[in-house]
Amino acid sequence: MARALGEVAEGRPPDEVVIGAPNPEVIPYVEERLDSLGVTTRDGAGRELRRTAPYRLLTTLAELLGTGRWPAFTAFVRHPDVERWIDARIGGAPELSSGRLPGGGWLEALDGWTNEHLPADVPADYGARGFQGRTGLHGDAVAAVLRLAGQELIGPLADAPTRRPISAWGAPVLHFLERTYGDHALDTGNPAQRELTRALGEVAAAIQGWTGLPGAFDENCDAGSALKLVLG
């Protein structure tokens, strides 16, 4: 679709390029993919918070932390902002270099390994033990993705079974967002970047509201449950 859009839109002003979506539920996926390719999108009806990239990122993260299932992990790393984050760190993870992965990049390697082994759950603590060398380069690539996405990006939130007061989850969630979006050059003159800034601000405000919870409401919960409170 992006290639076809490029051919049709070439030489036209942005307000003359319109994409129709018969099903509103596919709009977030179209927006995210085009945004990841550097194509600025704007919903004529405005974009609700639940359809923004940070909200959808936290939704996939809540599913991953709440279930620990492998399909939830693959959905998480496919989020455009997580994919971008991993791509930016390939230099420190030679296992993910496209030159070492026949037939494509690290996502293709992850798909190949998944289709071959059909794993049900994510390894405890996102440990890579048992992956490296197990299926050649694909196994090494999966180990690297687990290390980057699970241990480095998710960080303290990866210890999902830990229960703590709701207010205690605020800092780890904000640190996760900072790690994910901290290297974004947010330009408020760019509509897409302005919307991202607004969405991050709204999410951060909701999380910071946890710090003022009265003791009776500051119940113990895991990270997945805390995220669901933000998502509403």
Side-chain angles (χ1 to χ4, degrees), residues 161-229:
T162 298
R163 298 179 64 84
R164 61 182 76 172
I166 296 171
S167 59
W169 286 113
V173 174
L174 289 174
H175 289 161
F176 164 77
L177 291 172
E178 183 179 356
R179 284 192 296 275
T180 305
Y181 294 103
D183 58 353
H184 264 66
L186 297 178
D187 177 9
T188 55
N190 180 301
Q193 296 295 309
R194 186 166 59 246
E195 185 172 81
L196 175 60
T197 301
R198 178 188 64 81
L200 287 171
E202 290 186 23
V203 170
I207 295 171
Q208 289 167 349
W210 295 349
T211 59
L213 283 175
F217 296 96
D218 198 10
E219 300 178 353
N220 286 339
C221 67
D222 58 32
S225 299
L227 284 172
K228 289 177 181 178
L229 291 176

Side-chain angles (χ1 to χ4, degrees), residues 7-42:
E7 295 173 0
V8 173
E10 187 174 4
R12 296 176 180 271
D15 58 358
E16 290 186 4
V17 182
V18 179
I19 301 174
N23 183 353
E25 293 185 0
V26 307
I27 293 177
Y29 300 99
V30 174
E31 290 172 330
E32 286 179 4
R33 193 57 186 167
L34 290 176
D35 288 349
S36 73
L37 295 173
V39 179
T40 300
T41 61
R42 183 179 67 84

